[in-house]
Structure formats: C-alpha cells, structure tokens
Amino acid sequence: MSAPLRIAALSAWHVHAEEYAREAQQHPGTELIAVWDEDAERGRALAETLGVEFTPDLETLLAREDLDGVTVTTATSAHRDVIGRALAAGKHVFTEKLLAPTVAEGEELIAAAREAGLRLTVSLPRLAHGYALALRRVLEEGRLGRLTYSRVRLAHDGSTGDWLPARFYDPATAIGGAFSDLAAHPVYLTQMILGSEVQVRSATFTDMTGRGVEDNAVVTVTGPDGAIGVIETGFVTPTSPFSIEVQGTEGSFQHGLGKGGGTSVDTGQGPVPIDVPGDAENPFAQWARAIRSGQDTAENLGRAQALTALVVAANAAAA
C-alpha cells in the first residue's frame, strides 16, 4: 500500500469547507494535514475543529514537499488565484463549484492542470447519486421517447432561516446569490438530461429578504431539439423537496414528487417505481482515484465548464 495522499484545506469561506476537509480525513487513501484561510480567525477555528494545524501563509503551505493536493473552498471570486497558485506549486486540486467566475478563467485553470500533469476535479456530487444513475439509465434506454420538458428544483431556507453566513450575500465574492450557489446542482442535472448545449431563454431572480442578491430564482432553457428545461432554486423555502421531472413523447420520469416522493417511470399505465442503485463513488473519491491512477478528469471538467457557462448566461439574463 502506498502512503496516503496528504491534503490541505484552503479556506473555510464556503459552508462545505468542513465537509470536504473531513472527506480527506475519512477517505482511506488520504489524510488532512493543514488548513489555510485568508481570515486567520476563521481558519484557526476550522483547524481546531478538525484537529490539524493552521497555516497563515499560503505560499509556505503550497511549498511543502509533503503536500500532494488541496481542497478549495474559498470565495468563488478567489478560485482563479488560489487554484492557479496551487497548480503552479504542483498540487492536485479538488474544488467546490463553480470552477471559476468565467468560462475563460476556467479554461486557464484546466490548461494549467493538464500542462503540469495534475488532477483537477470540481465537486458535482448529485451526478453520483442513485436517482441520477437511474435517470441516466432510463434516458439511455430511450424509454421516454423524444424529450419535451424537464424541471429540477432544489431549494432551502438559508435566508429565511438565517443560517447562511453573511458572506454568501456579497455578490462580488459569491458571484451572485442562490443561482450561482445552490442552483449549480439543478443546472448540471438539467444538462445531464437535455445536453450541455442548452441555451438560457429567461431568468427571473428576486431578493425576498433584501440582502442584495437573489434568494429566489427560476431559469428556463431550451435544448436544440426543442425541449424546455426549468431550473428552480432559492434560499426562502423551508419545506421544498428536491425533485426531478422529465417528460417525453412516450413517457415521464419523476423523482421526489407525489406521495412518498419516490422514483418512478410512467409510460401510459401510471407511475411504476423503478430500482434505484446505490450511490456511485463521490467526487472526492473520484479525485483521489484519479491522482493515483493518472486518470484524466475531462468529463468532470467538461460538465463543470458547461455549468459555469449556463450560470454566467443566467446571471446576465437576469440583469
């Protein structure tokens, strides 16, 4: 057995910072050795929670020869700089979405990783969930016919429940509000369903709690074959279930809707529950495996870039 990959967590800015750092602690092939944060107080608090050292200087941390990779959970606006510096130092990178504020910046980071032979992976976790695997199988089998419509909704009460940190409402660092953050999941699922080439047709954003960014949003897209996609998100709905609906000329797929919120297909005889496999390997584990094997992460990065492009287009349409 080779030694564990040694990982550092870069910043506690994002709400998933501790989650990804604990992934590094819990995965059998990795270990967490340090935390860095531009906010020393915040970084020390996370390091203490995790039981690892806090390093106040990023250059010093990245210069460590015993450091193999980093998880990046900084503000989205800092991704280009922090990820770029990590790659320049020869470190593999696992990052929270979005990869970068713009597609062009994302391409720069992807090119830098490839040139250096490093593994860059963006966290797109719901693609590995069982319902997504079941839906992909249904689509590949053509059971729904020609697709006509999809709707994916994911929302919570981060604003009305007042549990999201105040920094999530700074449009300069967060690159937007609920759509740039939480809607990333419905976006990449919609692109899995209708294709990455879908185009934004409308974007309706509202700021219901008056914090300066959208906390309630609906975006519509269309695919090249005429299918319509609806992407819904928000920080103002405490009991809104995550749900997926896909309609086609020969049937429909539902997840999280109706009594029991199960997963079913209806081809004309009413909804029939379908088998949902267990979750596949999560993005962090995929990243660790790619580092060990030298496997290319092109599919992940292609989806990540398509995600960024749609979010950028939606933000522009809303503006």
Side-chain angles (χ1 to χ4, degrees), residues 162-272:
D162 202 27
W163 54 263
L164 277 176
R167 56 187 177 270
F168 264 57
Y169 303 104
D170 180 352
T173 55
I175 316 297
F179 200 82
S180 293
D181 177 62
L182 190 59
H185 304 291
V187 167
Y188 64 69
L189 288 170
T190 297
Q191 291 172 322
M192 182 194 80
I193 297 164
L194 299 181
S196 60
E197 66 275 20
V198 294
Q199 298 294 312
V200 171
R201 297 304 179 188
S202 68
T204 302
F205 289 4
T206 60
D207 177 8
M208 298 191 69
T209 59
R211 298 173 192 249
V213 296
E214 82 281 357
D215 53 21
N216 202 21
V218 176
V219 169
T220 61
V221 300
T222 56
D225 197 31
I228 295 172
V230 180
I231 301 163
E232 302 175 3
T233 196
F235 294 158
V236 293
T237 48
T239 60
S240 176
F242 167 65
S243 59
I244 302 174
E245 175 187 359
V246 185
Q247 300 286 345
T249 56
E250 297 178 18
S252 63
F253 171 97
Q254 292 187 348
H255 171 77
L257 294 169
K259 186 177 181 179
T263 306
S264 63
V265 169
D266 186 344
T267 56
Q269 291 78 42
V272 177

Side-chain angles (χ1 to χ4, degrees), residues 35 41 76 115 163 200 298:
V35 170
E41 181 178 357
T76 305
E115 183 176 353
W163 54 263
V200 171

Side-chain angles (χ1 to χ4, degrees), residues 286-300:
Q286 293 172 24
W287 175 61
R289 178 166 51 82
I291 294 172
R292 292 287 192 196
S293 67
Q295 175 186 349
D296 188 74
T297 58
E299 180 181 354
N300 170 269

Side-chain angles (χ1 to χ4, degrees), residues 4-311:
L5 298 167
R6 293 167 65 83
I7 309 299
L10 303 189
S11 182
W13 183 93
H14 201 279
V15 293
H16 291 314
E18 182 179 340
E19 175 186 339
Y20 295 145
R22 289 202 182 279
E23 288 264 18
Q25 290 183 317
Q26 295 166 2
H27 189 281
T30 63
E31 66 174 309
L32 185 72
I33 63 171
V35 170
W36 166 84
D37 197 312
E38 64 275 23
D39 181 322
E41 181 178 357
R42 186 175 65 201
R44 285 193 179 94
L46 178 61
E48 182 177 347
T49 296
L50 296 167
V52 299
E53 69 172 280
F54 171 71
T55 303
D57 185 75
L58 181 57
E59 288 303 313
T60 299
L61 176 59
L62 293 177
R64 287 179 57 166
E65 293 185 0
D66 65 339
L67 179 67
D68 298 299
V70 297
T71 60
V72 175
T73 40
T74 65
T76 305
S77 60
H79 278 197
R80 180 186 183 187
D81 175 57
V82 172
I83 295 174
R85 291 165 71 179
L87 293 172
K91 312 306 180 187
H92 303 282
V93 175
F94 178 82
T95 181
E96 177 62 289
K97 52 25 175 177
L98 303 169
L99 173 58
T102 68
V103 173
E105 290 172 321
E107 287 299 330
E108 291 179 10
L109 296 174
I110 291 170
R114 286 176 175 159
E115 183 176 353
L118 298 168
R119 300 296 160 244
L120 172 62
T121 298
V122 181
S123 183
L124 308 176
R126 290 176 182 262
L127 292 172
H129 289 184
Y131 55 79
L133 302 178
L135 173 54
R136 182 176 291 191
R137 184 178 66 240
V138 167
L139 296 175
E140 290 173 349
E141 292 172 353
R143 295 171 64 183
L144 307 185
R146 180 183 177 188
L147 299 186
T148 59
Y149 175 86
S150 78
R151 185 184 71 86
V152 186
R153 176 172 180 81
L154 178 63
H156 58 53
D157 66 342
S159 292
T160 50
D162 202 27
W163 54 263
L164 277 176
R167 56 187 177 270
F168 264 57
Y169 303 104
D170 180 352
T173 55
I175 316 297
F179 200 82
S180 293
D181 177 62
L182 190 59
H185 304 291
V187 167
Y188 64 69
L189 288 170
T190 297
Q191 291 172 322
M192 182 194 80
I193 297 164
L194 299 181
S196 60
E197 66 275 20
V198 294
Q199 298 294 312
V200 171
R201 297 304 179 188
S202 68
T204 302
F205 289 4
T206 60
D207 177 8
M208 298 191 69
T209 59
R211 298 173 192 249
V213 296
E214 82 281 357
D215 53 21
N216 202 21
V218 176
V219 169
T220 61
V221 300
T222 56
D225 197 31
I228 295 172
V230 180
I231 301 163
E232 302 175 3
T233 196
F235 294 158
V236 293
T237 48
T239 60
S240 176
F242 167 65
S243 59
I244 302 174
E245 175 187 359
V246 185
Q247 300 286 345
T249 56
E250 297 178 18
S252 63
F253 171 97
Q254 292 187 348
H255 171 77
L257 294 169
K259 186 177 181 179
T263 306
S264 63
V265 169
D266 186 344
T267 56
Q269 291 78 42
V272 177
I274 62 172
D275 291 333
V276 175
D279 292 350
E281 192 177 47
N282 70 24
F284 183 90
Q286 293 172 24
W287 175 61
R289 178 166 51 82
I291 294 172
R292 292 287 192 196
S293 67
Q295 175 186 349
D296 188 74
T297 58
E299 180 181 354
N300 170 269
L301 294 173
R303 291 191 180 279
Q305 284 292 76
L307 163 62
T308 299
L310 196 150
V311 170

